[in-house]
Amino acid sequence: MSSQVRKLVPVVAAVALLAACGANDPGTTGASGAGKAERGGTLRILIEGQTVNYDPAKSSSLPITSLGYVHRRLTGWLNAEGRQVEVVPDLGDTGKSSDGGKTWTFTLKEGQKFSDGSPIRAQDVKWGVERSFAPAFSGGLGYHKQLLVGGGDYRGPFEGKRLDSIETPDDKTIVFRLTRPYGDWPWITSTPAFAPVPEGKGAEPDYGEHPVASGPYQIAQYQRGVQVRLTRNPNWDKASDEIRGGLPDEVVFQLGQDASVVSQRLVADSGDDQAAFGSSFASPAQLAQLQGNASAKQRIVTSKTGALAYLALNTEKLTNPKVRQAFQYAVDKTSFQIASAGNAQLAGDVATTLITQGIAGREEFDLYQTKPAGDPEKAKQLLTEAGFPNGLENLDFVVSKSNDNPAKAQALQAALTKAGIKTTIRVLDSDAYAAETSQAANPTFDLTLSSWQPDFPSANANIQPLFASSEIGGGGYNLSRYRNPEVDALIEAAQSEIDPAAAGKKWAALDRKILADSPVVPLIYTRNSFLRGSKVGNFYIADFPAYPNYLQAGVTK
């Protein structure tokens, strides 16, 4: 895929619950710990941002969060407690492939309407996808842009040109013609660009503030920096929608909320805040305030797993595979856990694979059989065999100053020093960090610390963005600058596999093959924690993704 592929959410290291706050109490990890929500009431969501983006072309929103209130998509995610996430029908079915996986045909459900009462047609889905190619509406997920025939040069429908590789032979049928076989296409059609926009509409820059809705809610009021108020869409068809509960009468996003104040309000649990939850991760510092507060402890929901935190090794600088393999033993993952959340267990499990937990086809293995606390003597042995009996010196270890990365880097630095690897940590703000890592043509760093949450629940979204050579520089996320033509070919072969079980085996083999080259050191699978008011029900985090399912949450009586 192109470097247009981007992270769906800000990559954040573990913000798991402190031991005294009851993270492992029954019902708090993954489960809702709340009563059953009923139809009615007003659900409030407290967010730090000044806006909520409801323009599907510009969106990177998960199918289970804010955009899903207003827009349906061609396909969606069935995200429920105790089961693996599935791609399921939303406006259409989950598609049928032909031409060896290069052509995908979807059929829309009968009787679907926009909030203005007009029918939702295949042509409206096509228009929504085409609209995402327009430069004025860039910024959303772009997995589809290089896969659709002619997509590489297409600039959207507003210049009078349509994308011929999307065909609509009738109002209920839409056909996508791809440049190559792609087994995960039904997951791609669950991304925001596949939400319908009435054909011919959406040319205005602020369309996201007054879109034509296809989901259970429509925007009644949009005040930047203040609030967005959603009310029921009278034309939403609940019977055809297994993804959205549509329980609250209204959903109100309160904007510009300071994270620490949100925590205090939700702990106090009074008035309207009883039916509210925070969209931001609860930090260890915030959670520490909950010690001794039995009520608040029971209103924390913590994910079972999350993003892969990893140490990326610049393979253009550290060219010897044996040198890179030494880092697998030099790193102390236990100290990294403690630096991440103050508690080794609650930070998230020690990682040994590139494919994250909760992904279909993932195989559990530990290629290097490393101890969680590391094995500095084994690391020294490998460095000696590679021709560095005195270790390595003056390695440039660059990190972003966000998400406590400097403290985490110091924990890694201490372990590396014991193994004879001496580093200098350089801390940069987010813009400078991106300029020196993902955007740089010829970066000078040796090591960097990062994490990755896949955009959809497929091993494809774990492996391709981080290890395909097409993702080096230009904003891509192959931070280790790993180039392996054989791996590139195997990635394309796995993407082309239509059978999910067969594809899973190919991705698992790639996981092992890439780790044998040691371009990165997996550290932990991070965890996320969220706090809710006492009257928020159906509030849970399934195995994937590590975020609450907004669309099922509601208000208890």
Side-chain angles (χ1 to χ4, degrees):
M1 293 181 199
S2 73
S3 59
Q4 290 170 317
V5 175
R6 289 294 178 267
K7 285 174 284 190
L8 188 60
V9 294
V11 170
V12 182
V15 286
L17 197 55
L18 300 177
C21 300
N24 288 341
D25 290 348
T28 59
T29 301
S32 64
K36 183 178 179 180
E38 300 181 16
R39 183 178 173 88
T42 298
L43 179 68
R44 288 176 168 81
I45 302 173
L46 313 179
I47 71 173
E48 294 181 65
Q50 298 295 314
T51 62
V52 181
N53 178 20
Y54 282 108
D55 188 330
K58 298 178 180 179
S59 177
S60 297
S61 177
L62 288 162
I64 62 167
T65 57
S66 54
L67 193 78
Y69 281 129
V70 173
H71 297 289
R72 298 180 70 171
R73 310 179 189 192
L74 193 54
T75 57
W77 297 0
L78 184 60
N79 170 276
E81 295 181 84
R83 59 186 295 179
Q84 201 162 53
V85 64
E86 302 173 45
V87 63
V88 294
D90 194 358
L91 283 174
D93 58 16
T94 54
K96 294 179 176 62
S97 65
S98 57
D99 192 19
K102 293 175 65 176
T103 300
W104 286 85
T105 301
F106 295 78
T107 301
L108 271 62
K109 298 173 182 176
E110 295 287 342
Q112 304 303 302
K113 295 181 180 180
F114 284 110
S115 54
D116 63 4
S118 61
I120 297 175
R121 307 167 304 137
Q123 293 88 339
D124 303 315
V125 177
K126 173 176 178 172
W127 181 264
V129 177
E130 289 178 330
R131 198 173 157 271
S132 71
F133 286 85
F137 299 101
S138 62
L141 292 182
Y143 286 93
H144 58 289
K145 292 183 178 179
Q146 298 298 325
L147 287 169
L148 287 164
V149 173
D153 300 320
Y154 185 59
R155 292 177 57 84
F158 301 111
E159 297 178 5
K161 185 178 180 182
R162 308 302 299 272
L163 189 58
D164 294 337
S165 55
I166 306 177
E167 301 170 7
T168 54
D170 57 57
D171 288 355
K172 292 291 181 288
T173 306
I174 186 164
V175 182
F176 300 96
R177 301 196 182 277
L178 310 183
T179 58
R180 56 187 173 88
Y182 200 83
D184 276 336
W185 188 251
W187 288 113
I188 302 302
T189 59
S190 73
T191 58
F194 292 81
V197 175
E199 189 175 18
K201 294 190 177 182
E204 62 275 27
D206 64 349
Y207 178 75
E209 297 184 14
H210 52 83
V212 183
S214 53
Y217 300 95
Q218 57 190 348
I219 295 177
Q221 184 182 36
Y222 196 112
Q223 296 175 278
R224 286 174 171 258
V226 181
Q227 72 172 16
V228 177
R229 185 168 64 90
L230 309 181
T231 56
R232 291 193 180 279
N233 169 10
N235 289 303
W236 173 62
D237 178 21
K238 169 58 180 171
S240 72
D241 192 340
E242 64 179 314
I243 298 168
R244 299 163 184 83
L247 293 175
D249 288 333
E250 294 191 3
V251 179
V252 176
F253 287 83
Q254 295 186 359
L255 309 179
Q257 305 297 306
D258 180 83
S260 62
V261 176
V262 166
S263 179
Q264 293 169 11
R265 287 171 54 182
L266 293 175
V267 168
D269 194 39
S270 63
D272 289 344
D273 290 339
Q274 290 181 315
F277 68 87
S279 68
S280 298
F281 303 159
S283 71
Q286 293 165 348
L287 293 166
Q289 301 171 11
L290 305 185
Q291 294 181 13
N293 189 325
S295 169
K297 284 197 297 184
Q298 292 303 315
R299 292 186 280 109
I300 289 287
V301 178
T302 299
S303 66
K304 296 177 182 178
T305 187
L308 172 70
Y310 63 94
L311 179 68
L313 312 176
N314 185 345
T315 59
E316 293 177 349
K317 300 284 296 294
L318 301 170
T319 58
N320 189 323
K322 191 160 284 189
V323 168
R324 298 196 300 267
Q325 289 166 2
F327 283 84
Q328 303 288 346
Y329 298 95
V331 162
D332 181 346
K333 298 180 183 181
T334 300
S335 68
F336 184 83
Q337 288 174 311
I338 294 170
S340 296
N343 181 289
Q345 179 183 2
L346 298 176
D349 294 340
V350 164
T352 59
T353 67
L354 305 174
I355 299 173
T356 47
Q357 296 169 323
I359 298 296
R362 176 180 180 268
E363 294 180 7
E364 184 76 43
F365 66 92
D366 185 354
L367 186 66
Y368 292 97
Q369 296 294 306
T370 54
K371 304 171 186 176
D375 187 346
E377 294 308 313
K378 176 67 173 178
K380 290 178 181 178
Q381 176 189 333
L382 286 169
L383 289 174
T384 299
E385 292 174 3
F388 297 92
N390 298 319
L392 304 173
E393 295 186 354
N394 301 319
L395 296 188
D396 182 21
F397 189 178
V398 61
V399 297
S400 167
K401 67 181 180 182
S402 63
N403 303 322
D404 296 321
N405 280 327
K408 297 169 194 171
Q410 289 170 7
L412 294 174
Q413 181 185 51
L416 294 174
T417 300
K418 293 178 182 177
I421 301 172
K422 298 178 181 178
T423 63
T424 299
I425 297 172
R426 264 195 313 132
V427 180
L428 304 174
D429 64 33
S430 58
D431 289 342
Y433 175 79
E436 291 208 27
T437 55
S438 62
Q439 295 173 0
N442 296 291
T444 60
F445 73 90
D446 296 293
L447 321 173
T448 189
L449 181 62
S450 190
S451 58
W452 181 260
Q453 169 82 57
D455 290 325
F456 52 93
S458 166
N460 179 7
N462 283 115
I463 299 295
Q464 189 273 344
L466 300 189
F467 303 106
S469 61
S470 60
E471 301 306 306
I472 297 174
Y477 285 90
N478 185 342
L479 299 181
S480 60
R481 305 183 72 82
Y482 176 67
R483 298 177 189 271
N484 186 328
E486 184 182 0
V487 166
D488 284 342
L490 290 171
I491 286 174
E492 186 165 330
Q495 290 176 329
S496 300
E497 179 58 63
I498 303 303
D499 178 63
K505 292 185 182 301
K506 290 182 178 181
W507 290 118
L510 267 164
D511 197 339
R512 287 181 167 84
K513 183 173 184 61
I514 294 167
L515 269 177
D517 284 341
S518 192
V520 304
V521 180
L523 298 171
I524 64 173
Y525 308 111
T526 65
R527 288 182 178 144
N528 302 335
S529 295
F530 298 85
L531 181 60
R532 62 170 179 84
S534 60
K535 292 185 178 180
V536 176
N538 295 11
F539 190 71
Y540 63 86
I541 302 174
D543 288 354
F544 182 93
Y547 295 86
N549 188 333
Y550 289 21
L551 308 184
Q552 293 297 326
V555 180
T556 62
K557 297 299 183 183

